Amino acid sequence: MSASPSANVEPLAGIVGAENVSTALEARIACSRDASGLEGECLAVVWPSHPEHVPAVVEWALQEGVDLVPRGAGTGLCGGATPQRSVVVDLSRLTRIGPLDREGRRIEVEAGVVLGALNRRLAPQGLFLPVIPGSHRAATVGGMIATDAAGLRAVRYGTLRDWVEEVTLVDGLGRVHRLRGDALSSAVGREGVTGFVVKAVLKLASLPTRRTVSLIAFDDEEALLIQRDRWLQDPQLTALEYLNRHAAGALGWEARPHLLVEFDSDRGDIHDPERIAALWRARDGLYPVLARRGHPVIEDPRLEGEALQELLRWLDAEGIPAFGHLGVGIVHPCFRDGDGRIPALYERVAAWGGRVSGEHGIGLKKKGWVDAAFRAEIQQLKEKYDPKGVLNRGKLC
Amino acid sequence: MLTEPTADGSVELAENPPCIECGLCREVCPLFAVLRQEHLSPRGLALLAEREVASVVFYQCTLCRACKEVCPVGHDPDGERVRARLVARGVETEANRAMIENIRKYGNPFGPLKEGEIPKTLTCC
Ligand SMILES: Cc1cc2nc3c(=O)[nH]c(=O)nc-3n(C[C@H](O)[C@H](O)[C@H](O)COP(=O)(O)OP(=O)(O)OC[C@H]3O[C@@H](n4cnc5c(N)ncnc54)[C@H](O)[C@@H]3O)c2cc1C
Ligand code: SF4
Ligand code: SF4
């Protein structure tokens, strides 16, 4: 990374306050990557402390001729928040929560609110935002909207798209849009290429009063998938997580394929809340543990039926550790850097009619694998919301 | 990384697992909780340490190790050793210098104190 950046940030200090912008090497290095480890060059970092700052930051970028990268917690796994000689706009300081509409079960939050903090705040009211990615302790609402995050309870509660009522979006010309209904698809899952999510009104669910889990080891994937299909019929199922034998072994569990399932009833075998919390903690830490053991490249294909079974068989036979939200067909194989089988995975998934990204997004990492229809859709959105190409340049396609 | 021999020549026996940048520890860090800037988070500090950036930002870490408690791989920020190396390279805050000097001279970080006197200034890193 060059020692002296080339963006004139002086006018920015006038907009956001001198303490909320930096060209210091420390800040630029720290924001040069996301959890994928994909690295780029960061020219400066801005931390808006009010949503109202963001349109002015965009206007500054248009004048300066630099591009902007929205950043939440940087837990993204596909380089979506990685700058490429860009200015990073870190929304972590937009943390206002409320007001809560208890009757209507909805709440307004700013983009930098962390899911874990939001749910802790809501718990005494018996409510929660039920989309829980493994990164829930750190991921921001803005980042989750931008990636249409799924996660551990997607089998019951779907993805973030199902829980957003309104998004306030600042586009690439600095215009502010309040998106509702069908228009939400211009922001949700668009990974910041159409604008900054600065605020959102989220729908909330009732917090289950009962939670039990079962952890079951199977002889093989076939038997496991038969049991999966049975459990999917259960209306009280809230999570159905898979670990293949290579991933289970990494956690110190018996090296057999496992399902970790959760019910909001007494149906599960494990009732002790502390044991349940410990199991979920182990599950949350699974990717970091596999990364530490030399498998940092995580993928997220989504498949169903025969193809899903084929995929699980292939991963098992190849010795590739994998886990995932099997209830919705999302699998996370983890590879060593540069593993030649990664393109083979994408090719297989495409041939089987699956999606190469079930939840993490496309970012920089998977843009070579999107189809022409997706590219055309993004280009159309770009013309409407970011005609000057200021936002997340070079991402998605 | 920070696994080289210590100043007194002893060698670290336990390996410190490197940070894999998941970011899961951000919210437990008291430093990040207040400042909300990536370079003042455990992950940011780990990256700067790995790159051997000689910076006074390391003095802002409280050495509490809350990050290590929640880290799925058990990465230790090893703030004491990072600072020791910074001091050896002449990178130190004025406050740290005064604090260490006070401890050496007076046995406490505050400076000269009479019996029962409550310190008026807290010199910290
Ligand atoms: C251990 C671990 C487990 C994970 N588990 C899951 C999981 O179960 N399910 C899942 O879906 N994901 C998971 N992820 C991936 C990641 O946590 C999600 O993609 C999350 O939604 C990203 O949120 P963030 O705040 O960290 O966003 P970032 O990583 O900062 O950004 C992600 C993308 O969104 C854009 N963006 C961020 N904020 C905004 C904003 N306010 N406006 C517009 N664009 C924005 C960025 O430019 C980037 O393209 C996991 C990651 C880790 C490290
Ligand atoms: S210190 Fe641990 S928890 Fe924090 S980012 Fe690094 S690996 Fe993740
Ligand atoms: S040891 Fe330092 S980096 Fe880790 S949580 Fe405490 S203050 Fe943060």
Side-chain angles (χ1 to χ4, degrees):
Chain A
M1 184 156 313
S2 62
S4 52
S6 61
N8 170 26
V9 298
E10 228 163 79
L12 259 188
I15 300 166
V16 295
E19 69 287 8
N20 291 326
V21 52
S22 177
T23 54
L25 188 67
E26 292 88 334
R28 292 189 295 119
I29 287 181
C31 286
S32 64
R33 305 155 67 93
D34 67 7
S36 69
L38 289 173
E39 180 157 336
E41 185 168 359
C42 171
L43 300 179
V45 187
V46 196
W47 297 270
S49 50
H50 291 280
E52 294 72 36
H53 288 160
V54 178
V57 172
V58 175
E59 278 159 29
W60 166 82
L62 287 165
Q63 269 168 21
E64 185 67 21
V66 294
D67 57 279
L68 302 174
V69 172
R71 181 179 174 99
T75 65
L77 290 165
C78 56
T82 297
Q84 302 175 95
R85 286 193 62 76
S86 327
V87 171
V88 169
V89 183
D90 184 335
L91 299 152
S92 299
R93 286 181 171 169
L94 300 184
T95 54
R96 287 167 202 88
I97 297 180
L100 167 70
D101 170 3
R102 216 179 168 289
E103 294 300 295
R105 299 209 295 190
R106 61 172 80 84
I107 192 163
E108 184 166 45
V109 297
E110 288 183 354
V113 167
V114 170
L115 175 63
L118 175 63
N119 278 344
R120 271 196 304 281
R121 181 80 77 88
L122 290 168
Q125 312 289 331
L127 295 169
F128 78 134
L129 178 67
V131 178
I132 316 283
S135 52
H136 58 98
R137 286 185 262 159
T140 64
V141 165
M144 289 175 59
I145 292 174
T147 54
D148 189 21
L152 306 170
R153 299 200 167 81
V155 67
R156 170 71 161 270
Y157 296 104
T159 66
L160 211 73
R161 186 183 304 280
D162 304 309
W163 297 90
V164 184
E165 188 166 299
E166 183 182 289
V167 162
T168 305
L169 185 84
V170 176
D171 75 9
L173 295 176
R175 298 172 301 194
V176 180
H177 305 262
R178 286 173 91 91
L179 306 173
R180 301 175 72 89
D182 288 346
L184 282 170
S185 65
S186 302
V188 182
R190 300 307 184 181
E191 299 181 50
V193 303
T194 55
F196 291 91
V197 173
V198 291
K199 274 194 285 194
V201 178
L202 303 170
K203 301 177 211 169
L204 303 170
S206 295
L207 198 58
T209 49
R210 193 89 188 100
R211 221 169 231 170
T212 59
V213 308
S214 292
L215 178 67
I216 315 273
F218 294 84
D219 287 337
D220 54 34
E221 265 64 20
E222 213 168 328
L224 179 145
L225 284 168
I226 292 169
Q227 183 58 39
R228 166 199 188 244
D229 290 345
R230 282 198 202 115
W231 269 327
L232 284 178
Q233 308 302 318
D234 189 325
Q236 287 162 333
L237 180 79
T238 51
L240 195 150
E241 292 290 304
Y242 164 70
L243 291 83
N244 75 0
R245 65 189 162 115
H246 311 296
L251 275 190
W253 298 359
E254 198 186 346
R256 286 164 69 194
H258 281 72
L259 285 180
L260 176 62
V261 283
E262 185 191 72
F263 304 90
D264 56 3
S265 70
D266 283 338
R267 175 92 197 259
D269 310 321
I270 303 167
H271 292 211
D272 172 14
E274 273 179 31
R275 246 196 100 199
I276 293 174
L279 276 172
W280 281 123
R281 262 199 309 278
R283 166 59 190 84
D284 289 350
L286 186 48
Y287 163 62
V289 167
L290 292 175
R292 160 84 185 109
R293 289 172 150 245
H295 298 87
V297 183
I298 181 169
E299 301 295 335
D300 62 327
R302 186 171 186 170
L303 293 153
E304 272 306 333
E306 285 279 299
L308 181 59
Q309 188 162 348
E310 288 280 318
L311 174 69
L312 300 190
R313 260 199 230 122
W314 180 69
L315 296 169
D316 179 56
E318 292 283 324
I320 298 165
F323 62 98
H325 320 305
L326 200 68
V328 290
I330 296 173
V331 183
H332 294 311
C334 293
F335 294 91
R336 295 188 186 279
D337 273 323
D339 191 320
R341 293 170 298 182
I342 299 172
L345 170 76
Y346 287 146
E347 276 156 24
R348 275 163 193 266
V349 171
W352 285 327
R355 282 163 49 185
V356 291
S357 176
E359 61 175 9
H360 293 160
I362 302 297
L364 285 174
K365 187 175 156 188
K366 281 172 250 171
K367 64 182 205 168
W369 295 91
V370 300
D371 60 28
F374 178 83
R375 212 168 279 136
E377 192 186 343
I378 295 299
Q379 266 152 15
Q380 232 177 9
L381 283 168
K382 275 296 213 189
E383 273 157 35
K384 181 165 176 198
Y385 289 101
D386 185 26
K388 302 258 164 79
V390 173
L391 300 169
N392 247 348
R393 176 175 50 80
K395 309 281 169 65
L396 300 192
C397 52
Chain B
M1 277 299 293
L2 304 162
T3 45
E4 60 193 44
T6 53
D8 63 3
S10 64
V11 176
E12 267 291 275
L13 291 177
E15 186 209 357
N16 185 10
C19 166
I20 58 98
E21 304 182 55
C22 65
L24 295 188
C25 55
R26 267 166 58 112
E27 295 298 324
V28 300
C29 172
L31 181 59
F32 182 76
V34 175
L35 297 168
R36 305 199 72 73
Q37 294 177 309
E38 183 67 41
H39 58 291
L40 300 173
S41 77
R43 178 174 57 180
L45 291 173
L47 189 58
L48 296 173
E50 197 209 33
R51 306 262 160 113
E52 306 211 353
V53 177
S55 167
V56 290
V57 295
F58 291 104
Y59 290 92
Q60 298 204 43
C61 166
T62 68
L63 312 177
C64 68
R65 290 191 164 77
C67 51
K68 187 182 175 193
E69 284 295 309
V70 301
C71 175
V73 301
H75 173 71
D76 187 338
D78 214 3
E80 298 83 353
R81 181 126 19 126
V82 175
R83 284 188 202 176
R85 292 176 59 192
L86 288 172
V87 170
R89 291 169 73 174
V91 180
E92 193 174 10
T93 59
E94 197 41 58
N96 196 65
R97 216 185 320 268
M99 178 181 73
I100 299 296
E101 202 175 297
N102 284 338
I103 292 171
R104 286 206 175 113
K105 266 201 196 149
Y106 308 106
N108 71 65
F110 311 108
L113 284 177
K114 294 197 196 81
E115 192 61 37
E117 186 187 342
I118 294 170
K120 290 173 197 62
T121 44
L122 170 62
T123 310
C124 196
C125 29

